[in-house]
Amino acid sequence: MLRSGNEQKRSGILTVIFYIGALTSCACGKEQPDMADKAQVGVAYYNQSDTFLNQLIECLKEQFEQYANDDFEIALTVRDAAGSQRTQDDQVEELLDAGCDVLCVNLVDRADPSEIIDLARAHDVPIIFFNREPVAEDMMQWDKLYYVGADAKQSGVMQGELAADFIRGSKNADRNKDGKIQYVVLEGEAGHQDAIIRTEYAVATLKKKGIVLEKLSCGIANWNRAQAQNRMMQMISRHRNKIELVLANNDDMALGALDAYKKLNVTEAVLPIFFGIDGTDMGLKAVADHQLAATVYNNKEDQAAVMAELAAALIFETGMQDIPFTNGKYIYMPYFKITDENVDAFYSEE
Ligand code: GAL
Ligand code: CA
């Protein structure tokens, strides 16, 4: 059983130490954690302004608690790169110098992991990349590189299916009754695997399902709610009430699009339908409140669980055979659909 979780913020470093199981007794009878065995895991992530990543990191902290045991402690040190690859390279160097045993890295620039890989290899510390998938050639640079994430194509297909089902079941989706759905897309970062692929497959799936589409506009909003609101304002001023469908690469951007309509105080009758991806706390609430039509759950709990399992296998040098690898070093956790029919099982008001 977890005895205590201890969080400290010191010089910008968030350190979480988990003491698990039996606490040893010292001569004075006061319980002390057994410090004999300790592992350190360094977590570096691209930007703390990203809602989904913050929620994923929270899950990760919870998951690591379970991999400490009677005489073992795991210290997790989390560093935010604030969007700079240079900063992240330096942070990784510090984490390695501080003696971490495993690194979990959410790259800022998924095409630029070489410095981090060289540093880790020099210290012989394995890297679990997560969420921002390095290109395949870079994953071949060393045999102690792993990736945990999800299959972007699956999320795009699911978003397309959800939108197609919703449109088929609604009399009002095609508001101007021209037989087509006028749509706009809000995209995540240029060059991110989850942006291009989600858009491509959401649109292709809608078409495959027989929905006739007319694309009005597309804007990059970097996964960010405020940027999405701005982009959406521009699109609304250009297309007025013509927009019938908003496909957003994540929930924060779908919510930002909705914010734009709220700010303009438009009537219900001219609101388009909004679809997100992630199932963040706010995204789920918006589905429960019927503000987003649906979302696709980016399974942060399972991603975090398998990262902790893999890190533990690397630390203890046992259990690798239980990890569900694809091609030896990749682990993809499935997405699933969330609509008003199943949202209550995932979302509660607290
Ligand atoms: C995606 C997620 C986005 C954003 C991005 C960051 O998987 O859907 O909301 O967090 O990762 O890399
Ligand atoms: Ca129409």
Side-chain angles (χ1 to χ4, degrees):
M1 193 195 79
L2 180 70
R3 296 299 283 266
S4 79
N6 178 16
E7 279 196 40
Q8 312 165 313
K9 240 186 187 149
R10 231 182 265 143
S11 56
I13 305 177
L14 177 67
T15 304
V16 184
I17 299 176
F18 303 106
Y19 303 114
I20 301 281
L23 297 172
T24 54
S25 296
C26 68
C28 60
K30 202 172 150 205
E31 285 194 321
Q32 291 283 323
D34 183 351
M35 303 298 280
D37 269 309
K38 178 174 171 176
Q40 295 190 49
V41 176
V43 181
Y45 76 121
Y46 91 105
N47 204 328
Q48 68 170 1
S49 70
D50 185 295
T51 307
F52 173 75
L53 254 303
N54 281 327
Q55 293 179 9
L56 174 59
I57 299 285
E58 283 310 309
C59 291
L60 206 53
K61 291 175 188 167
E62 282 168 27
Q63 286 299 328
F64 270 103
E65 293 174 13
Q66 299 175 30
Y67 282 89
N69 61 37
D70 285 5
D71 5 69
F72 201 76
E73 173 199 324
I74 296 187
L76 202 65
T77 304
V78 182
R79 305 298 312 263
D80 156 39
S84 157
Q85 190 57 61
R86 273 290 291 275
T87 303
Q88 188 168 67
D89 295 349
D90 292 346
Q91 290 174 335
V92 164
E93 191 163 13
E94 282 166 29
L95 290 166
L96 288 164
D97 288 343
C100 79
D101 302 289
V102 175
L103 275 170
C104 297
V105 179
N106 171 241
L107 287 164
V108 176
D109 181 351
R110 60 185 281 259
D112 190 13
S114 292
E115 173 135 4
I116 287 177
I117 294 173
D118 290 347
L119 285 166
R121 186 169 24 200
H123 287 77
D124 197 28
V125 170
I127 308 178
I128 304 171
F129 290 107
F130 65 103
N131 171 267
R132 300 161 76 87
E133 185 172 339
V135 292
E137 296 83 71
D138 286 326
M139 287 295 287
M140 303 301 283
Q141 283 194 43
W142 189 32
D143 61 355
K144 292 186 182 170
L145 304 178
Y146 304 91
Y147 177 72
V148 173
D151 174 17
K153 175 179 169 186
Q154 185 187 37
S155 56
V157 169
M158 285 185 175
Q159 189 182 56
E161 287 172 352
L162 284 165
D165 290 349
F166 194 96
I167 290 162
R168 290 222 174 289
S170 148
K171 287 196 199 83
N172 304 324
D174 178 16
R175 279 203 321 264
N176 65 354
K177 309 284 176 229
D178 67 347
K180 301 181 217 164
I181 298 294
Q182 279 71 27
Y183 77 102
V184 301
V185 181
L186 285 164
E187 291 204 315
E189 293 162 89
H192 191 302
Q193 83 278 358
D194 288 340
I196 314 152
I197 299 176
R198 283 177 181 170
T199 304
E200 186 185 329
Y201 281 95
V203 170
T205 304
L206 272 155
K207 288 184 179 160
K208 206 168 139 196
K209 291 235 161 198
I211 307 291
V212 183
L213 294 174
E214 183 188 349
K215 180 174 176 177
L216 296 180
S217 202
C218 170
I220 291 179
N222 297 309
W223 312 117
N224 181 280
R225 184 164 178 164
Q227 287 186 38
Q229 180 182 325
N230 286 338
R231 289 270 164 279
M232 195 70 222
M233 287 293 226
Q234 293 159 357
M235 292 178 188
I236 298 169
S237 74
R238 206 153 133 223
H239 302 290
R240 305 271 150 204
N241 295 339
K242 273 205 215 137
I243 304 166
E244 296 172 336
L245 166 67
V246 176
L247 295 173
N249 286 167
N250 77 344
D251 286 354
D252 259 16
M253 295 190 293
L255 293 166
L258 188 68
D259 292 340
Y261 281 93
K262 283 191 182 155
K263 201 166 170 187
L264 295 170
N265 233 342
V266 300
T267 55
E268 281 274 317
V270 297
L271 270 187
I273 42 179
F274 302 87
F275 291 87
I277 291 176
D278 275 345
T280 57
D281 297 345
M282 294 298 284
L284 294 179
K285 182 175 181 340
V287 174
D289 294 345
H290 299 102
Q291 301 216 297
L292 298 188
T295 189
V296 177
Y297 201 76
N298 195 354
N299 198 335
K300 56 186 180 298
E301 286 80 7
D302 283 2
Q303 290 164 29
V306 85
M307 283 172 72
E309 191 181 349
L310 175 54
L314 292 164
I315 292 166
F316 297 121
E317 294 180 352
T318 174
M320 283 301 258
Q321 71 282 354
D322 300 329
I323 314 270
F325 286 116
T326 305
N327 297 334
K329 39 173 75 189
Y330 293 86
I331 307 161
Y332 296 107
M333 287 295 149
Y335 287 95
F336 54 87
K337 297 175 186 174
I338 304 258
T339 65
D340 61 349
E341 283 175 20
N342 66 348
V343 70
D344 290 344
F346 302 94
Y347 171 73
S348 68
E349 283 289 343
E350 315 110 52

